[in-house]
Amino acid sequence: MSVSEEVENLSRRGFLRIAGIAGTALCLGIYMSADAEPRVLTEDEARLANAGIALAAWIIINTNGKVTLICHRAEMGQGVYHSIAQIIAEELEVDLYGIDIQLTQGDEKKYGSQLTGGSSTIRGSYKNLLKLSATAREVLIMAAAARWKVPNTECYAETGNVIHKPSGKKLHYGELVEDAAKLTAPKDVKLKARSEYKVIGKGNHRRDSPLKTNGEAIFGIDKRIPGLQFATVERNPRLRGKVKSFDATAALKVPGVTRVFKVVMGVWDTDREGVAVVATSTWAAMQGKKALKVEWDDTGFEHLSTPEIYSRQRELLKTSEGLTLTTQGDPTGIIAQAKDKLDVVYETPYQSHSCMEPVNCIAHYQVDKVEIWGPVQAPNWIQDYVSKKLGMARENVIVNMTFLGGGFGRKAMPDYPYEAVMVSKEIGAPVQVVWTREDDATQGPYRPGISYRCEGAVENGGITALKFRMAGQNNDHWRGGDNGKANRSTSEGFLKPYYQSIKNISFSDIPFKTPIPTSFWRSVYASTNGFAYESFLDELAHKASKDPMDLRRQYLKDERSQRLLDKMEEVSGWKSRKKNDGYGVAITECFASTVGHIVKVSKKSTGGIHIDKVWVVVDCGWYVNPDIIKAQVEGSIVMAIGAATIHEITFKDGMVEQRNFYDYKMPRITDIPQMDIHIMENDENAGGMGEPGLPAFAPALTNAIFDLTGKRIRKLPFDITTV
Amino acid sequence: MNRIIRPLKNFRPSKSLIVMGVMMYLVALMAFGMNHKAELKKEHPAPFIIKKDSVASVKAFAAVYKVLMSPRCMNCHPSGDIPLQGDDSHLHTMFPKRGLEGKGVLAMKCANCHQPTNTPGVHTPPGNPNWHLPPADMKMVFQGKTPRQLAQQLIDPKRNGHKDMQKLVEHADDGLVLAGWTPGEGRTLPPMSHAAFKKAWLTWLSTGAYAPKK
Amino acid sequence: MINLNVNRKSYQLDADPDMPLLWAIRDLIGLTGTKFGCGVAQCGACTVHLNGEAVRSCVTKLSRAAGQNVVTIEGLSADNNHPAQLAWNEENVPQCGYCHSGQIMSAAVLLREKPEPTDQDIDDAMAGNLCRCGTYLRIRKAIHLAAELQKKEGGTT
């Protein structure tokens, strides 16, 4: 199931429920199963909930009035830890900073999908969260009104209290919980209008920030449990290779090293082999790993090199039509007949996620159950995968979520938790497996490198046909996806309104397989598609002698898009720019948000290009926290600068050539342009914001470079210091 | 004619000398830190004897130049205020700045990463107890210098770290000079052994420290 | 036995003198605020203060730190109230937060040595600290704010 499907399913199936806990606390949750009826929790459940253990609840109000929020999704920097609380504080009428926020365990039945991907958390749950909070508030008001024997309408809620307006009488929520739990919740509560919001829409201080400025936040790698041992794994540097033999003599001599053995780690449907070194400290394990001698078995699969990957993709784009994802009109016919047309290839690189927190996980295998602690984006996928691999009941795979030191899609994979489980199983004790930076860089998974063939025709200052073909790995295939179907993400990033106005369009995917493990990388296929498609539109605009913004305006006819374009022009001064001043524009849409970038570049006196400024206009519909949105866009720009101009993963003889930040270099504080970010105000459905700020940057940059220099960049990354 | 030379007065204090200067500076500091001064004195107790021979001198300097312009020496004698890195002498990642004393600035002091010894592994910071660049008031630039410019700089006390002949001689065994030959895993060595370099260096100095024509 | 002073507390560690300070702090002493990022002094996540300097603990051997004063993020201030910490929170700098222990430790040295840093000073001091979330603009902003806060407080760090 794709991320977007899961989000849709959550809002379709999910419904609100309040469960009173007899006399102790009020628990509120959104349940996934369509037949679940509201019920009073059992005494055991109530006791656990009261003890602070989450049971069937997202929000718990206890008799002291303390509000506990279970953050069911991964917090990896994108801010849901804060913004979920912000939503609840608004409609529940409690102090945002008084809410106790707890990270939780994987439990799909309780929370719905916890896959923190596809920028889905807020857009997938905000309506339910608003309704849940408002309903709880109404029930508490009802309880107070009944106690005072006054009409509900004379009462209102404020900062955790219900107040009787005429008399000024006041009861805090804790005093009302017992009564409220016995009431039947109203079906349709009235939600606040946007203009009434006091908490939502504000860029207030993030709840997780103080924990991250004094070392208090516990990331996966910081988690400690009694009896914990530490391990590293030397994995075959060829991505599908096996262990032939190993010599542990030297490794076992390293003080602190206790065990050395072969371990098999699943990467979806394939296995990855390595040798685990277990020790009393992370460093001892790392030293032991360095001392290992392993002979690898690399037979039976291709040892690819990067030039080969791209020449093969080029060949496929020349010779194959591929599998059609979507088509309208007759782009092939129109382009064949056209006088003014373009036919070009764009190339995008493999990329590593390189989360600052290296991949790591704790597992404790205990025969009848497995407990896992770690920085994970998809606890339910881990439960699925590990339970299947071990033949264990799903509920006996307990996954505890910690803060994540970055995720970007990498930590949605179940490979590293499973590896930790296998190490723990072997030693019969809890173990934390830590990947070194070199492991992270050389083992993947990676964003797939993709080539695109873009064909288009123009006539009378307009586009008559667009034909896009993509050759690159399909992430789904690692999860057993159907090889006979086109990659569903082939058109990701491309703006939907274009389908209305450009009559002939097609997207097709030419299947391309390698042994290289791939996965989602922030904004997924939009991050590469966007570069190809939005650069190509720029090329067509020039071919048609059109201003690139005007061309977009011509085809993005809907009012929402037009307003976005107006704003982009307004904030960037687009219309008053001079010819070849170094301005470029690009707009992409993914995960239900549309984001436009305008980049201004100039020539550096020392050679190369300087990125002077980036203007971004975001249309994500209804939103919670403008400051977090801006932060996500700022971060997306930095990540996009890296992927477009600094780093790439390359392969030689089946091995990754980069090892650490010295050869997979990251943008630093010295590389950052000015940014000016704006958010459109409207009441459309909320879109995602963790990812959509990224894809349009690279094409806006290269379009700007074209404007300034006349040089068209069709391959990423490029060296900005020598353009 | 044999002469005893003390200061470098017989050399025109001209444009550019350097490579040695840097190394010497480092060695001197090193010696100070490591209490090797006594030893050095022991090694070179006698005044240095100069026997002028411009042909031999220029020839010896060609070897010296090769070493000093190799990444192991030049990387810390950059033309700007940011050291160079790697066998291709690219600008040091993260752009650490020289600072007044050549020891970095603010939160980016050389010794924040560069330890007293080499850090194990490839692409790890090489180490020395006295790791630093030439100071801001005596930059001793090698990068971009022609053999002539470099030779002239090396023997100009105003540009070589105030080294007289004796100090120049001693500088061949400076700790940071020597560090060029233990650069840490994965780094190429200077183009000749330290012994060969020292021999060329001393030959160059002892034959009059002539600067090549170009 | 190696004597290590961390956050004004003395620890006797039975450890290899070649063990990097980072792992002694994290795995032996149990202070996990200092982070492992790259192991080769490329990212700055492991930055601590060694006698007041922003050293990379992943490449600093215990033997160098022995008997010296080490301060980690946990010991930077009594109550998360170093001007840099206050400013980081005011500007909502952290996203994932993993690198910010190191960022703040670097910023603290900058603010001590250059109480009113320019943008160039910030570049010069902070280019050794990577942030994959890309919070650099806010780091810059927060350092300027911290400088103001520090001035108001009377310049103590």
Side-chain angles (χ1 to χ4, degrees), chain A residues 60 65-69 85 89 94-101 207:
Chain A
I60 302 164
K66 189 179 92 174
V67 178
T68 302
L69 163 66
V94 294
D95 174 16
L96 170 59
Y97 297 94
I99 299 174
D100 180 22
I101 309 169
R207 286 291 312 272

Side-chain angles (χ1 to χ4, degrees), chain C residues 74-121:
Chain C
E74 290 93 341
L76 182 65
S77 68
D79 192 20
N80 216 352
N81 58 356
H82 182 284
Q85 290 169 314
L86 295 172
W88 248 246
N89 280 304
E90 181 58 30
E91 298 291 349
N92 280 335
V93 178
Q95 289 184 30
C96 90
Y98 193 78
C99 72
H100 288 293
S101 298
Q103 302 278 4
I104 290 168
M105 295 310 276
S106 284
V109 172
L110 164 64
L111 288 161
R112 182 190 68 214
E113 298 199 357
K114 205 79 190 261
E116 290 176 64
T118 61
D119 277 350
Q120 185 62 51
D121 293 328

Side-chain angles (χ1 to χ4, degrees), chain B residues 50-72:
Chain B
I50 301 278
K51 185 180 178 189
K52 285 199 167 185
D53 178 342
S54 65
V55 174
S57 191
V58 167
K59 193 177 161 212
F61 188 74
V64 168
Y65 184 76
K66 260 191 214 158
V67 172
L68 300 193
M69 296 306 275
S70 81
R72 294 295 80 76

Side-chain angles (χ1 to χ4, degrees), chain A residues 76-77 204-206 209-210 212-213 219 221-222 224 282-283 352-353 356 437 627 631 634-635 660 667-668, chain C residues 20 26-27 32 35-38 40 42 73 80 85 89-90 92 94-96 98 127 132-133 136-138:
Chain A
M76 49 191 173
N204 36 31
H205 293 139
R206 275 176 74 144
S209 182
K212 294 171 175 178
T213 57
F219 297 89
I221 202 167
D222 304 327
R224 295 290 178 264
T282 316
W283 186 66
S352 160
H353 304 79
M356 287 308 298
R437 179 58 56 193
D627 191 61
E634 290 161 14
N660 202 319
R668 292 177 183 271
Chain C
R26 288 182 55 84
D27 288 357
T32 56
K35 304 302 187 197
F36 166 56
C38 69
V40 293
Q42 284 282 330
I73 187 73
N80 216 352
Q85 290 169 314
N89 280 304
E90 181 58 30
N92 280 335
Q95 289 184 30
C96 90
Y98 193 78
R132 184 60 160 154
C133 297
Y136 297 123
L137 280 183
R138 288 175 189 236

Side-chain angles (χ1 to χ4, degrees), chain A residues 393-694:
Chain A
R394 201 173 182 276
E395 60 272 22
N396 290 336
V397 178
I398 301 154
V399 181
N400 301 281
M401 301 166 79
T402 65
F403 280 117
L404 285 76
F408 310 118
R410 198 286 166 238
K411 290 171 182 166
M413 299 278 282
D415 58 334
Y416 59 103
Y418 178 64
E419 184 184 62
V421 169
M422 296 314 283
V423 175
S424 173
K425 188 179 176 191
E426 177 70 26
I427 65 171
V431 68
Q432 181 175 56
V433 177
V434 175
W435 290 41
T436 62
R437 179 58 56 193
E438 290 78 8
D439 296 336
D440 187 271
T442 56
Q443 294 290 318
Y446 307 99
R447 181 184 81 174
I450 304 175
S451 299
Y452 299 85
R453 181 169 171 187
C454 304
E455 295 172 81
V458 296
E459 202 180 302
N460 301 327
I463 298 169
T464 51
L466 288 171
K467 180 178 177 181
F468 297 115
R469 273 175 278 180
M470 160 173 133
Q473 285 180 254
N474 186 338
N475 291 334
D476 274 358
H477 291 164
W478 281 95
R479 295 189 286 147
D482 186 342
N483 289 325
K485 283 189 179 164
N487 186 333
R488 287 170 299 112
S489 301
T490 304
S491 62
E492 200 170 49
F494 189 73
L495 270 61
K496 294 190 176 75
Y498 286 132
Y499 293 111
Q500 307 299 319
S501 51
I502 300 173
K503 298 300 169 206
N504 304 284
I505 302 179
S506 72
F507 285 92
S508 58
D509 165 40
I510 307 172
F512 181 77
K513 294 197 105 174
T514 80
I516 301 161
T518 66
S519 85
F520 333 106
W521 185 96
R522 197 178 197 172
S523 77
V524 200
Y525 285 92
S527 74
T528 50
N529 295 354
F531 171 63
Y533 305 156
E534 278 296 289
S535 295
F536 191 62
L537 278 189
D538 200 71
E539 294 205 56
L540 289 178
H542 289 285
K543 186 90 183 161
S545 306
K546 275 262 173 169
D547 175 282
M549 190 79 84
D550 291 347
L551 181 95
R552 287 172 173 81
R553 199 179 272 290
Q554 186 177 340
Y555 292 107
L556 298 171
K557 293 181 193 291
D558 63 296
E559 207 189 319
R560 196 172 168 187
S561 299
Q562 292 285 318
R563 279 199 298 262
L564 181 87
L565 292 164
D566 291 345
K567 188 78 176 177
M568 289 172 70
E569 289 186 345
E570 177 203 321
V571 299
S572 67
W574 179 266
K575 284 185 167 160
S576 55
R577 81 197 195 286
K578 294 189 193 91
K579 201 169 155 39
N580 305 127
D581 233 1
Y583 282 79
V585 57
I587 310 168
T588 55
E589 183 263 317
C590 61
F591 308 122
S593 290
T594 302
V595 179
H597 285 236
I598 289 164
V599 173
K600 164 79 176 75
V601 297
S602 60
K603 285 181 186 160
K604 270 175 136 170
S605 57
T606 51
I609 294 291
H610 183 260
I611 306 170
D612 301 336
K613 191 162 182 176
V614 187
W615 293 268
V616 180
V617 181
V618 169
D619 185 349
C620 59
W622 184 93
Y623 63 81
V624 184
N625 188 310
D627 191 61
I628 291 178
I629 290 171
K630 285 179 183 173
Q632 287 305 298
V633 174
E634 290 161 14
S636 293
I637 290 170
V638 175
M639 200 156 175
I641 287 174
T645 70
I646 303 178
H647 50 71
E648 73 176 312
I649 289 290
T650 57
F651 305 88
K652 196 175 175 184
D653 189 26
M655 292 182 282
V656 172
E657 295 187 283
Q658 291 69 34
R659 296 183 57 78
N660 202 319
F661 294 131
Y662 46 71
D663 51 13
Y664 191 79
K665 294 190 178 183
M666 291 281 120
R668 292 177 183 271
I669 197 168
T670 42
D671 297 317
I672 308 308
Q674 290 181 53
M675 302 177 195
D676 184 14
I677 299 158
H678 299 264
I679 305 169
M680 299 299 290
E681 299 290 338
N682 59 50
D683 280 326
E684 304 285 345
N685 285 337
M689 266 329 292
E691 302 167 88
L694 191 142

